[in-house]
């Protein structure tokens, strides 16, 4: 449904430029250089990183791109 997609994209726009804590869970199956995790508000987020080092850790990520259902960012500090 186009309206739901538009609403989701609009909600995700507020994350652009922000630093969010992301709990890393797995490797991005479409891009081996990226890991995937979720923000505290449950937004799927991708960024470059080593899954072996980051799995299970909270990582600060600056959001640089938003999509309808995902966020993409750059690691912005050390994992916890």
């Amino acid at each position: 449904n186009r309206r739901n997609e538009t609403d989701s994209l609009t909600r995700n726009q507020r994350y652009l430029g922000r630093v969010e804590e992301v709990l890393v869970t797995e490797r991005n199956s479409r891009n081996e250089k990226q890991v995937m995790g979720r923000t505290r508000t449950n937004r799927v987020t991708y960024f470059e990183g080593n899954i072996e080092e980051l799995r299970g850790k909270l990582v600060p990520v600056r959001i640089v791109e938003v999509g309808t259902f995902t966020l993409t960012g750059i690691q912005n500090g050390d994992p916890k």
Side-chain angles (χ1 to χ4, degrees):
N1 179 315
R2 286 195 191 274
R3 178 168 172 131
N4 287 342
E5 289 178 13
T6 301
D7 290 348
S8 181
L9 181 60
T10 300
R11 280 192 304 274
N12 280 349
Q13 290 290 336
R14 67 180 168 213
Y15 291 92
L16 195 58
R18 288 175 38 179
V19 175
E20 293 288 320
E21 265 193 332
V22 175
L23 177 61
V24 177
T25 56
E26 60 191 88
R27 180 176 285 126
N28 180 352
S29 61
R30 294 183 180 176
N31 182 342
E32 296 272 323
K33 294 180 181 178
Q34 290 183 335
V35 295
M36 184 194 94
R38 291 187 179 264
T39 66
R40 291 188 180 272
T41 55
N42 209 32
R43 300 280 191 248
V44 173
T45 306
Y46 298 104
F47 64 97
E48 285 193 14
N50 182 334
I51 190 64
E52 303 307 322
E53 294 175 8
L54 299 176
R55 180 180 278 134
K57 294 188 178 170
L58 288 169
V59 180
V61 175
R62 179 169 304 280
I63 306 304
V64 296
E65 185 179 321
V66 296
T68 303
F69 302 110
T70 62
L71 307 173
T72 304
I74 299 169
Q75 186 171 340
N76 193 55
D78 296 327
K80 296 180 186 176

